[in-house]
Amino acid sequence: MKFGVVQFPGSCDERDAILACETVDGAEAVLLWHRDASLHGVDAIIIPGGFSFGDYLRVGAIAQFSPVMAAVINFANGGGPVVGICNGFQVLCETGLLPGALLPNENRRFVCRQLDVEVTSVDTPFTRGMAEGDVLSIPSKHTTGRYYAPPPLLEQLEADGQVVFRYAHGNNPNGSLNDIAGVCNTSRNVVGLMPHPEHAVDALTGSDDALPLFASLVRGVAAGV
Amino acid sequence: MSIKARVLIRPKQGILDPQGIAVEQALPALGFEGVSNVRIGRLIELDVQDVSQLDAMCKKLLANPLIEDYEVIGPDDVGSPGDVAAKGPGT
């Protein structure tokens, strides 16, 4: 099982993402440089957090045109598992692989704190090992994390169960509609979320609640789902 | 021949604009009363050879049509006498 972690200029969480992937027995993780259009045979892709291309124009807007993203889009359209975290979520929304958009936080502040995040769908490769209603303590750190989808799209996402993570009651840090912290695509193989599971894999740094998410991906790939 | 174009991008109506709210709240503190509905967007200036591509540029990169409205405003011929006159002295 090999993870690929995409690195853009301005990415900053790719090392933690690699370490998080490698907490799972039998998993290795490699960096995928954004100018390289090859995915080097990886089985799952993480688009990590950071400030790709300086957040110029709009968050995630420029990264979507890096050569690696054409390969990521092909991989995702072929059913390969892709997870976008924070800036990675923003990039996936800009590419159209995920529905909706991320807007500046309602309170105009940079959010940096540990939050309770509820798993609301286990029907994705990233959450299959969890139970619906599980609450995970995961840090969030962003300025542009207010999830938005126009009303008809939002209703459709709710009806189709595409909301994968929700901020627990009183934990919505950014004014996201319906407390949405993460969503998946209609095929359910692409997941994006604002909180940072890669920073929640060791009790030493506050929480290891996110370990099962990475283990789910590995088991899913091993089982061919 | 390049044409100077401007694209005005604004948050869609109904979408909360925290920057606009911050500015709106700052103005009365400076003594400017009676200001409401402040919305902050951005203006992109660019020289293009083919003006007909501007709409596609906006849809694909310059704006995100899900959350933003865009408007291409008055492309002017670069360097035409009319353009210089329109800008007036001192430019």
Side-chain angles (χ1 to χ4, degrees):
Chain A
M1 163 72 194
K2 186 157 92 169
F3 285 95
V5 177
V6 174
Q7 185 180 37
F8 300 104
S11 294
C12 67
D13 295 323
E14 70 279 8
R15 303 282 163 186
D16 272 21
I18 284 178
L19 290 174
C21 294
E22 291 185 337
T23 58
V24 188
D25 279 345
E28 61 167 319
V30 295
L31 276 180
L32 301 173
W33 179 236
H34 79 113
R35 297 283 295 275
D36 187 348
S38 164
L39 298 181
H40 300 278
V42 300
D43 304 297
I45 293 172
I46 310 271
I47 318 273
F51 304 84
S52 58
F53 295 89
D55 282 351
Y56 290 170
L57 191 63
R58 283 184 314 281
V59 290
I62 298 184
Q64 63 174 314
F65 301 110
S66 280
V68 74
M69 286 309 296
V72 170
I73 290 167
N74 276 337
F75 180 81
N77 288 340
V82 178
V83 177
I85 301 167
C86 195
N87 187 230
F89 185 16
Q90 296 161 342
V91 171
L92 291 174
C93 286
E94 281 283 339
T95 62
L97 281 176
L98 286 175
L102 283 313
L103 293 167
N105 296 348
E106 191 174 43
N107 62 10
R108 311 189 290 273
R109 293 196 178 93
F110 183 81
V111 168
C112 183
R113 62 189 168 102
Q114 202 78 16
L115 293 171
D116 287 342
V117 178
E118 185 183 344
V119 178
T120 50
S121 168
V122 295
D123 186 16
T124 79
F126 200 44
T127 52
R128 198 162 284 132
M130 315 296 298
E132 246 175 62
D134 277 352
V135 175
L136 314 176
S137 175
I138 303 182
S140 269
K141 45 169 189 146
H142 59 254
T143 311
T144 309
R146 176 166 49 114
Y147 185 78
Y148 173 83
L153 176 59
L154 188 66
E155 281 167 28
Q156 187 199 322
L157 296 178
E158 293 285 3
D160 294 348
Q162 286 177 251
V163 178
V164 181
F165 297 99
R166 240 183 261 275
Y167 300 108
H169 182 67
N171 279 250
N172 182 342
N174 50 35
S176 285
L177 293 180
N178 296 9
D179 296 327
I180 290 172
V183 297
C184 67
N185 61 345
T186 52
S187 312
R188 315 196 72 86
N189 61 310
V190 181
V191 175
L193 73 168
M194 285 313 295
H196 285 264
E198 81 283 19
H199 298 328
V201 296
D202 192 326
L204 180 70
T205 51
S207 165
D208 60 3
D209 286 1
L211 283 171
L213 299 174
F214 295 93
S216 289
L217 264 181
V218 173
R219 275 202 305 277
V221 167
V225 291
Chain B
M1 169 92 168
S2 282
I3 306 289
K4 187 170 287 296
R6 294 187 181 90
V7 178
L8 182 61
I9 296 160
R10 283 181 280 214
K12 268 190 191 295
Q13 281 304 318
I15 288 189
L16 180 80
D17 173 18
Q19 282 193 92
I21 292 170
V23 170
E24 189 170 319
Q25 290 173 349
L27 286 168
L30 299 170
F32 298 104
E33 300 292 343
V35 179
S36 58
N37 291 319
V38 177
R39 311 277 289 169
I40 296 183
R42 59 183 178 275
L43 179 71
I44 300 177
E45 290 188 326
L46 63 175
D47 293 352
V48 292
Q49 295 196 335
D50 183 357
V51 178
S52 72
Q53 292 183 334
L54 279 168
D55 193 62
M57 284 183 207
C58 289
K59 285 197 171 82
K60 196 154 188 204
L61 176 64
L62 303 183
N64 179 343
L66 194 67
I67 50 174
E68 295 168 325
D69 288 325
Y70 64 87
E71 189 183 332
V72 176
I73 49 178
D76 306 320
D77 281 7
V78 175
S80 77
D83 186 43
V84 173
K87 281 179 184 166
T91 58

